[in-house]
Amino acid sequence: MMLSDPSRKYRPFPQVDLPDRQWPSRTITHAPRWLSTDMRDGNQALIDPMDTEKKTRFFEMLCRIGLKEIEVGFPAAGATEFDFISGLVQSGRIPDDVIVQVLTQARRDLIERSFESLRGAPRAIVHVYNAVSPAWRRIVFGMDRPQIKQIAIDAAKIIRDEAAKQPNTDWHFEYSPETFSTAELDFSVECCEAVMDILQPTPEKPIIFNLPATVEAATPNIYADQIEWFGRHIRNRDSVVISLHTHNDRGTGVAASELGLMAGGDRVEGCLFGNGERTGNVDLVTLGLNLYTQGVAPGLDFSNLEEIVQTVTYCNQLPVHPRHPYAGELVFTAFSGSHQDAIKKGFAAQESRNDELWDVPYLPIDPADIGCSYEAVIRVNSQSGKGGVAWVLQQDKGLKLPKRMQADFSKVVQELADASSRELHASDIWDAFEGHYCLSDGQSYKLVDYFESGPAGNRVFTGKISHNGEERSISGRGNGLISSVLHALREELGIGIDVIDYSEHAIGIGGDVRAAAYVECKTDDGRTIFGVGLDEDIATASVQAVLSVANGLERRNTTAAKAA
């Protein structure tokens, strides 16, 4: 039960004595160095940690986005972590402009294991940490300040010596006084300077001091004060990179990092969409796009944000909330009529402007910049996972389902998942797709052969259709191939359907290219049915898509008749 007087149990976090603080009047004018810790901090926070296949996909995506520093794991945690990191190094899959980082506690055996995982890497960062705050000293370790500092000194010596054993690798070092945000500032500086004495950084090869809000315990302005105080008091500041690692326990991780950058931070560690322990790490997507909307290039490419969402959702098995900043499926959708009207007028005014400056009500960013579109009216399905299902089909079969078709098929997958009570694999999803859209063998209507003739606007379809094993010749006339097929089906087979949406795309490139066609149809009695066609020829794929609808309609009618 909540206390009527919480001050009996909790105390406000103390202010930092910094009366001449400078950060409140500063503006962020350039992007920081970024480090993704999705594959370490984010991975350890998952119910089911990523396997090698998912880690590989995630790493490749991070490289495409433009991350140049990636914490790939905690190699001493177990064989899976060690083997993945070692395999990444030995396979040569690390781009030349990307440096990988590993994390280790300040223990000899773990540090040695971490260096071994990176054997053969051209460049690497070894990140070592130990907790320094009073609560940890008193409750967890039972140590005083000199003993805690000695842990850091001993770890630095081991790192120095291990690096010397592998001189062909360009080693970089990072030290975290873990629990920095709840520790005494002078003691954090003392520990960091003791590490500097051992590792001897230079302006050309600085040391990274990561200053984490391990548990967010204060308002973001206090974290900014802590960063500015540290930057003022650490010696040889030009040989130090201040790295920010904020968590989100109070829900202000992004704000704390932004203020920390204003206070002198050089580097930000976080996860895409803020995954991480408890309430998560700072959200790199939100932070990067916040910079973008202020005219600052983040140095990260979120041009296809939907694909990034789908990849992260698949690899982490965690959803991205529909109201998540920038990335949620509803963030560019207005339901209020007044909102819709303002946005429409904003787009109209934008088109008539003589400059490129963005100024549209309710939209802080142009959706097109991140691969999205604005829809004034949209029906949102309650089915979960349609984006993930569509992504699996795209990755494994090259299919790019239209949005409404994604919603249609997600219901099928949801029913299958409920019935099977297990995780669905790509093969399960493909089998369900073939069955639902009548692509498998044994369908009622099959295309045997066809040809089309006549000028544009007056096309004639002549074909042979097999219906339950019996071939029939049909023909129809329309302004194009699909309309002539619809006319033939209606007039000669009694199948009354109209196409209300059509899309197509190529699958693959070069000589192996195939075509996919999608149709959304309405029946004469108002039902909606989707169809798919796949073929080497786009015209044939279009015909197959219409027959897919015909098969679906017959199946529905048969099912309804049996039920009656």
Side-chain angles (χ1 to χ4, degrees), residues 73-106:
F74 199 135
T80 300
E81 287 282 277
F82 183 94
D83 291 344
F84 172 76
I85 296 166
S86 178
L88 197 63
V89 171
Q90 299 302 322
S91 66
R93 296 200 306 273
I94 304 172
D96 292 340
D97 60 346
V98 172
I99 184 169
V100 295
Q101 173 173 305
V102 298
L103 180 72
T104 177
Q105 291 169 306

Side-chain angles (χ1 to χ4, degrees), residues 103-107 127-133 136-137 141 143-156 174-180 183 187-188 191-192 195 210 212 214:
L103 180 72
T104 177
Q105 291 169 306
R107 283 173 37 191
H127 178 190
V128 66
Y129 70 95
N130 68 304
V132 301
S133 66
W136 279 74
R137 297 197 307 262
F141 300 126
M143 293 181 176
D144 58 18
R145 283 172 54 152
Q147 290 173 307
I148 292 294
K149 184 171 74 170
Q150 191 61 46
I151 292 175
I153 292 172
D154 292 343
E174 176 172 347
Y175 170 68
S176 289
E178 195 197 6
T179 64
F180 164 83
F187 185 51
S188 291
C191 289
C192 289
V195 171
N210 183 46
T214 305

Side-chain angles (χ1 to χ4, degrees), residues 414-449:
Q414 186 64 54
E415 292 174 359
L416 179 60
D418 292 340
S420 62
S421 298
R422 65 172 176 82
E423 180 185 0
L424 297 181
H425 302 293
S427 59
D428 300 314
I429 294 172
W430 177 244
D431 289 344
F433 187 83
E434 283 191 310
H436 184 65
Y437 296 111
C438 306
L439 300 179
S440 54
D441 294 334
Q443 302 303 326
S444 297
Y445 294 99
K446 295 181 180 179
L447 178 64
V448 178
D449 193 13

Side-chain angles (χ1 to χ4, degrees), residues 26-32 257-259 261-262 287 291 294 296:
R26 293 175 182 161
T27 301
I28 302 173
T29 58
H30 62 277
S257 286
E258 288 182 322
L259 299 190
L261 290 173
M262 294 162 59
L287 188 54
L291 292 179
Q294 302 303 300
V296 177

Side-chain angles (χ1 to χ4, degrees), residues 163-386:
K165 296 176 184 178
Q166 298 185 46
N168 292 330
T169 296
D170 180 16
W171 295 107
H172 299 258
F173 305 118
E174 176 172 347
Y175 170 68
S176 289
E178 195 197 6
T179 64
F180 164 83
S181 60
T182 53
E184 307 95 333
L185 287 169
D186 66 320
F187 185 51
S188 291
V189 168
E190 186 179 335
C191 289
C192 289
E193 290 186 343
V195 171
M196 290 177 74
D197 290 339
I198 305 301
L199 298 177
Q200 295 293 306
T202 65
E204 293 73 31
K205 198 166 187 177
I207 189 170
I208 301 168
F209 284 142
N210 183 46
L211 306 180
T214 305
V215 176
E216 188 177 40
T219 49
N221 61 296
I222 290 180
Y223 183 70
D225 281 349
Q226 293 171 327
I227 298 302
E228 184 170 335
W229 194 99
F230 183 94
R232 289 190 190 185
H233 289 82
I234 192 74
R235 72 167 185 263
N236 300 333
R237 178 64 177 89
D238 60 351
S239 298
V240 169
V241 172
I242 293 180
S243 191
L244 313 177
H245 186 122
T246 58
H247 280 254
N248 203 42
D249 299 271
R250 292 170 54 91
T252 56
V254 168
S257 286
E258 288 182 322
L259 299 190
L261 290 173
M262 294 162 59
D266 306 301
R267 183 176 185 255
V268 171
E269 301 187 4
C271 294
L272 302 180
F273 311 118
N275 181 35
E277 297 281 12
R278 303 180 311 280
T279 55
N281 297 331
V282 71
D283 180 343
L284 295 185
V285 173
T286 299
L287 188 54
L289 289 175
N290 281 356
L291 292 179
Y292 183 82
T293 64
Q294 302 303 300
V296 177
L300 301 175
D301 185 4
F302 299 127
S303 298
N304 193 345
L305 193 54
E306 183 178 358
E307 181 183 358
I308 296 170
V309 170
Q310 292 169 348
T311 302
V312 174
T313 300
Y314 169 75
C315 292
N316 287 350
Q317 295 297 294
L318 290 175
V320 172
H321 194 280
R323 299 295 181 190
H324 192 102
Y326 304 108
E329 65 177 336
L330 298 181
V331 296
F332 298 124
T333 301
F335 293 97
S336 163
S338 60
H339 287 206
Q340 293 171 0
D341 181 64
I343 293 171
K344 288 179 179 179
K345 290 177 179 177
F347 272 116
Q350 190 72 23
E351 292 177 359
S352 64
R353 289 168 60 94
N354 294 324
D355 58 60
E356 297 181 6
L357 290 177
W358 181 253
D359 187 18
V360 175
Y362 293 114
L363 296 180
I365 190 172
D366 184 350
D369 287 357
I370 52 176
C372 301
S373 61
Y374 171 73
E375 297 177 354
V377 179
I378 184 171
R379 296 184 63 183
V380 180
N381 264 300
S382 62
Q383 302 299 320
S384 63
K386 60 180 179 291

